[in-house]
Amino acid sequence: EWLLGMAFLAEACSLSSDSDTAEGLYAALVSWEALTAVDQSEGCRGSVAYHLGLLASLLDRRDDAVRHFECALIANERLGFRPWLARTKEAYGRLLRVIGGDERTEGATPA
């Protein structure tokens, strides 16, 4: 149940933009990346890598976030967790828009 609870906390941190709490959660979860957050009574929260991607995005660790989301895409697809695959694609897409936006404005001169 610990891993499932941590997944819920990671989502709450992401939604509330709580970067202070995200730092500690990220450190606690990073070694669990290859696992899936599942509990028989509460259900499934998908790949832990998805939750790490959310936290890394919040902490502006873009390279880590990309790696975590790519890992989550593979895991959630392989396990047939279609709702979590969709959530991962959506969160990864948001990150890629931010990264792409920064690249488009990098080096631009103000008008």
Side-chain angles (χ1 to χ4, degrees):
E1 292 182 3
W2 178 86
L3 194 54
L4 187 72
M6 295 295 278
F8 279 116
L9 288 172
E11 289 177 61
C13 274
S14 177
L15 290 171
S16 66
S17 300
D18 183 356
S19 58
D20 292 334
T21 303
E23 192 75 49
L25 284 173
Y26 185 87
L29 274 176
V30 74
S31 63
W32 301 88
E33 178 182 33
L35 299 180
T36 303
V38 178
D39 181 72
Q40 289 181 347
S41 63
E42 297 295 325
C44 174
R45 301 307 295 175
S47 170
V48 172
Y50 162 75
H51 299 91
L52 286 165
L54 293 177
L55 295 170
S57 294
L58 177 60
L59 296 168
D60 203 30
R61 296 180 184 172
R62 294 177 181 177
D63 290 341
D64 290 331
V66 166
R67 182 175 48 81
H68 293 309
F69 284 138
E70 288 179 356
C71 179
L73 288 172
I74 292 166
N76 286 326
E77 184 170 17
R78 180 176 41 93
L79 294 168
F81 294 157
R82 292 175 65 190
W84 292 102
L85 180 60
R87 286 181 180 207
T88 303
K89 287 179 178 182
E90 192 266 335
Y92 192 17
R94 279 195 319 264
L95 174 68
L96 293 176
R97 275 197 314 265
V98 168
I99 292 171
D102 288 352
E103 288 174 359
R104 284 192 299 272
T105 60
E106 192 173 294
T109 55

